[in-house]
């Protein structure tokens, strides 16, 4: 957390040195041009009127927080004048968070001349009291001096003493989603693009919601200082005493979605169905257009000589370093290659099919229906109806199925059922921006950074016993090889990989990464527990003697078969395209959970978590030197003898 600055509301503009007229004008034009070059795109995207840009540039350069010249904060307490308020009632009143059920703070115009929207100076900077990433919030509240006390005061939470206590921290973590805003950097590494959350200072946090707001607000990352501020500007003229409001659901026009988005501040029970049928065909057509993928023309399956040596063009170091099969040689000339084995997504299948139909490629058109998490949930409903199959956790797309999710959450809550959910972004891996929570407000607000949610009854997940730790969460990764769509031919590599949490499982500290997640090879400072599958199987069968691994793996392969059957059951773009020159390798991550069969028997049910495109095969190559020889022989030579693969379909 960066050093926190106090609220700027009482502040006045900082005095600046006087300058001569012409020099000041010339320098101002240069400053403005540089400012627009850096921030113009962001300002246009936020629809900040251009009339304010020059003043905004000046205020940012000089750190001028002049809101105190125009606004004041007023506390409103809804108490019957005839009733006396005893000390106990007043103490309870103070504990209630804001916004919500009082005490309620409002920001009003105090300037005696009011505020004119046409005035180019009517734009204001709002400081941020706390900037954080969600997974670091608890640690910052524990360790950043004064942060917990300030946040508790800002949210109307009673907090006494100097030492942060877990109860107060948890209270702030629950309430902060009524105050948090978010932005995301457009450049940098995957880690740097994880959404940033912030809470505005006491002035900004007191601005209340209105469906007819008087002001607009938007974050702006000021590059010269590498600091984010919130920009506030009026939407109309205001008189003295008028309230400053903003639309907490800005940009949402659908009435039901607005109601959902505003639930953290205006709670109510949704009277809608939680059913989520598969989206219409148009949904998949839109995805194809958005991906800019061009489908191939129909071709005849290519036929190759039995002894042909294939030229491989690839940019994947693991392939270059590990593929030693004599029927494959590498080429730096993409134009002469027989096989294109690319790390990045291939798009123009039409051109390839028209000009070089005999060239094989390591991808299938429309395979994003498997590898993108919301698409995976959609096509899986072909196997299990609106609630999805048993091998996929109940999944909702927060962008398109928010009301259905909220209805499901509220129904489960009323029935007293487990309501822990995992929020996952649709397009990130390695557990980045992934959160486990039972806080509905948190899930609703995380929608602003475009995640999807996946249901999980975490207490029913199977655990593995680590002698050095205890019962921990674990997941399993299988590598599968898709040889063709029509007919469907699917293989599994005979070695699977295990990933373990590092701490004993319990349904608390949901932001404790090493307790609730298993991807440790990218977590700095985390211990990576490696167990070979041959060593894991006897340990597993010792812990669960009634469930031999051969039986468990048969149910896993059955789930894989059903997944690929539904994924290829419809023509592109509703399903994976039948392109005879395509081959592919995927990694499927899964967990095991306890379930009950239709005849009432306790079973281990595979739960597919995600399907990964072009997975990291470094460990496979390191411990199994023939890995890519087996993969290429299976996919491109159609020879599986002496290969470590098993046919699934």
């Amino acid at each position: 957390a960066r050093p926190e600055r106090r609220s700027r509301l009482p502040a006045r503009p900082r005095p600046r040195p006087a300058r001569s007229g012409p020099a000041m004008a010339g320098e101002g034009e240069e400053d403005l041009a540089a400012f627009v070059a850096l921030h113009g795109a962001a300002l246009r995207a936020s629809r900040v009127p251009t009339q304010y840009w020059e003043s905004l540039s000046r205020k940012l350069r000089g750190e001028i927080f002049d809101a105190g010249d125009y606004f004041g904060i007023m506390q409103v307490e809804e108490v019957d004048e005839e009733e006396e308020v005893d000390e106990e009632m007043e103490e309870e009143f103070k504990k209630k968070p804001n916004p919500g059920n009082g005490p309620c703070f409002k920001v009003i115009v105090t300037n005696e001349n009011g505020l004119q929207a046409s005035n180019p100076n009517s734009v204001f900077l709002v400081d941020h009291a706390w900037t954080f990433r969600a997974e670091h919030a608890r640690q910052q509240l524990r360790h950043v001096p004064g942060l917990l006390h300030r946040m508790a005061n800002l949210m109307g939470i009673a907090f006494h003493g100097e030492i942060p206590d877990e109860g107060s921290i948890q209270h702030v973590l629950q309430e902060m989603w009524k105050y948090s805003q978010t932005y995301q950097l457009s450049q940098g590494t995957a880690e740097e693009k994880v959404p940033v959350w912030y809470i505005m200072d006491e002035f900004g946090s007191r601005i209340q919601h209105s469906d007819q707001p008087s002001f607009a607000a938007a974050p702006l990352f000021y590059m010269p200082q590498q600091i984010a501020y919130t920009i506030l500007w009026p939407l109309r003229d205001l008189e003295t005493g008028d309230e400053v409001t903003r639309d907490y659901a800005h940009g949402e026009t659908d009435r039901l979605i607005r109601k959902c988005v505003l639930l953290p501040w205006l709670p109510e029970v949704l009277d809608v169905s939680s059913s989520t049928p598969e989206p219409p065909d148009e949904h998949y057509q839109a995805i194809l257009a958005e991906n800019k993928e061009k489908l191939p023309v129909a071709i005849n399956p290519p036929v190759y000589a039995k002894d042909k040596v294939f030229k491989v063009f690839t940019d994947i170091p693991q392939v270059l370093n590990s593929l030693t099969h004599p029927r494959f040689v590498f080429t730096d000339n993409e134009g002469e290659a027989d096989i294109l084995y690319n790390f990045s997504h291939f798009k123009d299948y039409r051109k390839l099919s028209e000009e070089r139909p005999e060239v094989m490629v390591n991808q299938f058109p429309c395979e994003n229906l498997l590898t993108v998490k919301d698409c995976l949930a959609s096509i899986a409903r072909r196997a299990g109806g609106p609630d999805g199959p048993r091998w996929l956790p109940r999944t909702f797309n927060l962008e398109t199925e928010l009301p259905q999710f909220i209805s499901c959450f509220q129904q489960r809550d009323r029935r007293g059922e487990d309501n822990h959910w995992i929020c996952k972004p649709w397009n990130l891996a390695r557990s980045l921006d992934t959160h486990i929570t039972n806080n509905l407000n948190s899930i609703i607000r995380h929608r602003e950074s475009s995640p999807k949610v996946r249901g999980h009854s975490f207490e029913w997940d199977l655990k593995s016993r680590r002698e050095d730790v205890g019962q921990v969460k674990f997941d399993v990764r299988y590598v599968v090889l898709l040889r063709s769509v029509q007919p469907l031919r699917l293989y599994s590599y005979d070695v699977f990989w295990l990933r373990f949490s590092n701490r004993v499982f319990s349904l608390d500290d949901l932001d404790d990464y090493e307790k609730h997640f298993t991807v440790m090879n990218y977590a700095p400072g985390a211990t990576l527990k490696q167990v070979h599958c041959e060593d894991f199987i006897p340990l597993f069968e010792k812990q669960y003697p009634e469930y031999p691994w051969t039986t468990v793996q048969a149910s896993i392969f059955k789930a894989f078969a059903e997944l690929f059957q539904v994924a290829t059951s419809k023509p592109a773009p509703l399903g994976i395209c039948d392109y005879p020159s395509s081959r592919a390798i995927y990694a499927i991550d899964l967990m095991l959970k306890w379930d009950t069969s239709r005849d009432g028997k306790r079973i281990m049910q595979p739960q597919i978590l995600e399907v990964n495109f072009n997975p990291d095969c470094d460990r496979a190559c390191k411990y199994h030197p023939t890995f890519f020889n087996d993969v290429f022989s299976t996919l491109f030579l159609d020879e599986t003898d002496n290969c470590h693969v098993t046919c699934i379909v």
Side-chain angles (χ1 to χ4, degrees), residues 537-557:
I537 292 174
L539 294 173
F540 178 89
E541 294 181 337
K542 180 180 178 181
Q543 185 174 354
Y544 303 105
E546 298 179 10
Y547 299 89
W549 186 256
T550 53
T551 303
V552 175
Q553 184 165 269
S555 65
I556 292 172
F557 286 175

Side-chain angles (χ1 to χ4, degrees), residues 3 20 75 116 119 147 192 235 277 290 346 372 382 440 495 513 620 648:
S20 61
Q75 182 173 345
Q116 288 72 48
N119 187 333
L147 178 60
E192 291 169 336
L235 299 174
E290 184 179 348
F346 194 83
V372 178
R382 298 170 188 172
L440 179 59
V495 176
Y513 185 91
I648 297 178

Side-chain angles (χ1 to χ4, degrees), residues 177-198:
W177 299 108
K178 297 177 182 177
Y179 299 85
S180 300
Q181 317 296 321
T182 188
Y183 64 86
Q184 193 170 4
L185 299 180
S186 59
Q187 297 179 339
T189 64
E191 287 80 2
E192 291 169 336
K193 292 180 181 179
V194 170
V196 175
W197 293 87
Y198 63 92

Side-chain angles (χ1 to χ4, degrees), residues 14 65 106 248 276 286 305 308 390 514 539 541 576 639:
R14 298 182 180 183
F65 294 83
K106 294 184 177 181
Y248 288 2
T276 50
K308 178 177 174 60
R390 301 180 83 173
E514 293 193 58
L539 294 173
E541 294 181 337
I576 298 177
E639 296 178 0

Side-chain angles (χ1 to χ4, degrees), residues 433-490:
D433 195 26
T434 298
H435 311 282
I436 298 169
T437 182
N438 59 355
N439 184 336
L440 179 59
N441 291 345
S442 169
I443 297 173
I444 292 173
R445 297 304 310 284
H446 269 101
R447 176 180 183 267
E448 296 175 27
S449 54
S450 298
K452 65 184 292 295
V453 300
R454 173 165 296 167
H456 246 285
S457 296
F458 289 100
E459 73 271 48
W460 293 108
D461 284 341
L462 215 63
K463 311 302 184 298
S464 177
R465 179 164 185 80
R466 285 180 53 174
E467 292 184 1
D468 56 333
V469 178
Q471 296 281 52
V472 299
K473 292 176 66 173
F474 75 101
D475 64 24
V476 188
R477 166 168 286 196
Y478 278 85
V479 170
V480 298
L481 313 176
L482 182 58
R483 174 64 175 77
S484 67
V485 166
Q486 296 293 341
L488 178 59
R489 295 177 64 192
L490 183 70

